[in-house]
């Protein structure tokens, strides 16, 4: 096994780190938004954007005119982060409050997708992640739309996960008559809401 580079080793609670590919992939597949961080003109930037994982890369897209996309596609090194919150951890002391979470951090340089067929395939991956089973139902992507969009890929070669689970871990205040435990957090898809232009059109099966 290759040694873990320092920038992938947490300075706090390193035992919570995971370098298991399946664990990293599972977190990335559940999350819908990542934050792309980079430095430009000696200023830090952190841009949230939708993404999809396919095999051992993640993909983002943006307009060919996007200042953010045009800058990082030149090969700027980036740090990309994803966080899923599962619970608020309520301790007997405010100092020991915490959160249960699953997160991924990766370091990479962008690979610009040039082939129109590969770009269209990345469009499909993105679409199917956000609205599963919808690609064949929708108006097909036009060649002009593909040309107007930049697709960037980032390798997961330098990636790690960090995960916290379970109840509060405090012993000092265990005998105090103060409630402690977790408050679960949940993100779920709600019932689709029809816009005016689609009144009278049946809800497609993939949205039921």
């Amino acid at each position: 096994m290759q040694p873990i580079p320092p920038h992938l080793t947490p300075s706090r609670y390193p035992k919570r780190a995971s370098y298991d590919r399946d664990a990293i992939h599972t977190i990335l597949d559940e999350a819908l938004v990542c934050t792309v961080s980079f430095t430009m003109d000696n200023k830090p930037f952190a841009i949230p954007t939708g993404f999809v994982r396919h095999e051992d890369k993640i993909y983002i897209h943006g307009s060919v005119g996007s200042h953010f996309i045009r800058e990082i596609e030149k090969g700027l090194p980036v740090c990309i982060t994803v966080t899923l919150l599962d619970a608020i951890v309520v301790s007997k002391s405010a100092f020991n409050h915490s959160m249960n979470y699953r997160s991924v951090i990766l370091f990479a340089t962008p690979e610009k997708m040039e082939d129109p067929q590969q770009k269209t395939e990345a469009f499909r991956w993105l679409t199917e992640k956000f609205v599963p089973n919808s690609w064949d139902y929708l108006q097909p992507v036009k060649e002009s739309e593909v040309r107007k969009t930049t697709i960037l890929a980032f390798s997961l070669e330098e990636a790690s996960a960090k995960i916290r689970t379970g109840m509060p871990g405090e012993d000092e205040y265990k005998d105090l008559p103060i409630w402690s435990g977790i408050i679960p957090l949940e993100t779920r898809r709600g019932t689709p809401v029809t816009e005016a232009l689609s009144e009278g059109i049946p809800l497609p099966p993939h949205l039921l």
Side-chain angles (χ1 to χ4, degrees):
M1 179 179 177
Q2 295 286 340
I4 305 300
H7 57 276
L8 289 179
T9 304
S11 59
R12 290 279 291 164
Y13 300 107
K15 65 181 181 181
R16 294 179 183 170
S18 172
Y19 306 95
D20 178 73
R21 282 287 167 224
D22 288 340
I24 292 170
H25 290 176
T26 298
I27 295 169
L28 294 175
D29 291 348
E30 182 174 341
L32 296 176
V33 175
C34 68
T35 298
V36 182
S37 301
F38 57 97
T39 301
M40 184 176 63
D41 298 329
N42 292 318
K43 294 181 180 179
F45 293 84
I47 310 297
T49 186
F51 78 99
V52 65
R53 179 194 69 85
H54 182 74
E55 296 180 345
D56 214 33
K57 293 182 180 180
I58 68 170
Y59 296 80
I60 68 171
H61 77 295
S63 167
V64 295
S66 164
H67 182 63
F68 149 58
I69 293 291
R70 289 171 62 183
E71 287 300 323
I72 67 171
E73 74 177 22
K74 298 174 184 176
L76 278 181
V78 303
C79 175
I80 298 178
T81 56
V82 167
T83 303
L84 299 170
L85 292 179
D86 296 318
I88 297 171
V89 179
V90 182
S91 299
K92 293 180 182 294
S93 70
F95 181 78
N96 288 321
H97 276 23
S98 186
M99 291 180 289
N100 285 343
Y101 60 87
R102 292 164 289 147
S103 64
V104 168
I105 184 170
L106 70 96
F107 297 86
T109 54
E111 173 191 349
K112 185 177 179 181
M113 311 301 292
E114 300 286 5
D115 182 81
Q117 287 187 331
Q118 289 183 333
K119 290 175 68 176
T120 300
E121 189 69 355
F123 263 126
R124 184 176 69 82
W125 298 332
L126 282 158
T127 302
E128 288 289 301
K129 179 178 184 179
F130 280 78
V131 189
N133 303 313
S134 66
W135 181 257
D136 292 333
Y137 171 82
L138 299 170
Q139 161 69 35
V141 174
K142 300 177 182 177
E143 290 184 12
S144 60
E145 294 170 331
V146 175
R147 289 195 302 269
K148 292 176 182 177
T149 305
T150 299
I151 304 285
L152 299 179
F154 300 87
S155 170
L156 296 176
E157 183 178 348
E158 292 190 45
S160 67
K162 191 176 181 185
I163 301 166
R164 189 206 188 279
T165 61
M167 291 291 179
E170 58 188 355
D171 294 324
E172 183 180 359
Y173 307 110
K174 64 181 181 180
D175 295 326
L176 292 180
I178 298 173
W179 186 90
S180 58
I182 65 170
I183 302 173
L185 300 175
E186 181 180 344
T187 298
R188 61 182 180 83
R189 295 175 186 253
T191 303
V193 179
T194 303
E195 72 157 332
L197 293 176
S198 292
E199 290 292 345
I201 300 176
L203 199 64
H206 63 271
L207 293 180
L208 294 175

